[in-house]
Amino acid sequence: MKINLSGHHVEVNDSIREHIEEKFSKIASHFPTLIALEVILSKEHHKIKVELTTNYEGGHIAATGSDEVMYPAIASAAKKLDAALKHRKGQLKANLHTKPDTTTPEIAHERVQEMDLS
């Protein structure tokens, strides 16, 4: 998975880059079809804000996390992204299952009449 990392009023150094790659390696292993992840770190009003965006199986998924310290903000956003990806994966699996056919009451009555119940 390719991680595009950018900072707004935040210096992105090697330790931050390594921490982000470590955090999202677990997500990459759980969702192998995930190709790229956009990570934007910004500092607003003495808080660090982490914005994550990606495309997964045709759906656009975004998650944000904020905290006064950098690493808990990254962890919060990673947890939210993992939950959103699991939700999307569940939706895709639910669409694969066949839905039961329902019949209108008139048709059901006709089918019961046609059955040989003796």
Side-chain angles (χ1 to χ4, degrees):
M1 174 173 69
K2 183 176 187 221
I3 298 175
N4 298 323
L5 180 61
S6 62
H8 184 70
H9 300 293
V10 175
E11 182 181 340
V12 179
N13 55 23
D14 290 335
S15 66
I16 292 173
R17 187 175 304 277
E18 287 174 12
H19 180 74
I20 287 176
E21 288 177 1
E22 178 185 320
K23 273 288 184 193
F24 295 109
S25 65
K26 178 181 173 186
I27 291 176
S29 67
H30 287 152
F31 304 99
T33 58
L34 202 59
I35 298 170
L37 178 68
E38 299 284 332
V39 180
I40 301 172
L41 303 172
S42 62
K43 185 172 183 179
E44 299 174 358
H45 306 292
H46 306 290
K47 281 195 165 188
I48 302 295
K49 184 177 180 184
V50 179
E51 299 176 22
L52 307 171
T53 57
T54 188
N55 287 321
Y56 179 68
E57 300 287 334
H60 182 74
I61 297 174
T64 60
S66 64
D67 200 315
E68 293 179 0
V69 183
M70 173 85 62
Y71 296 107
I74 294 170
S76 171
K79 186 175 180 181
K80 289 178 184 179
L81 180 69
D82 189 38
L85 288 169
K86 286 179 183 176
H87 179 76
R88 177 70 181 149
K89 192 174 189 178
Q91 285 178 333
L92 293 172
K93 283 190 175 185
N95 288 339
L96 294 177
H97 300 298
T98 59
K99 309 295 187 271
D101 292 330
T102 58
T103 58
T104 60
E106 299 84 30
I107 296 173
H109 175 70
E110 291 172 7
R111 288 190 180 171
V112 169
Q113 294 297 326
E114 292 173 0
M115 294 176 141
D116 184 23
L117 300 175
S118 26

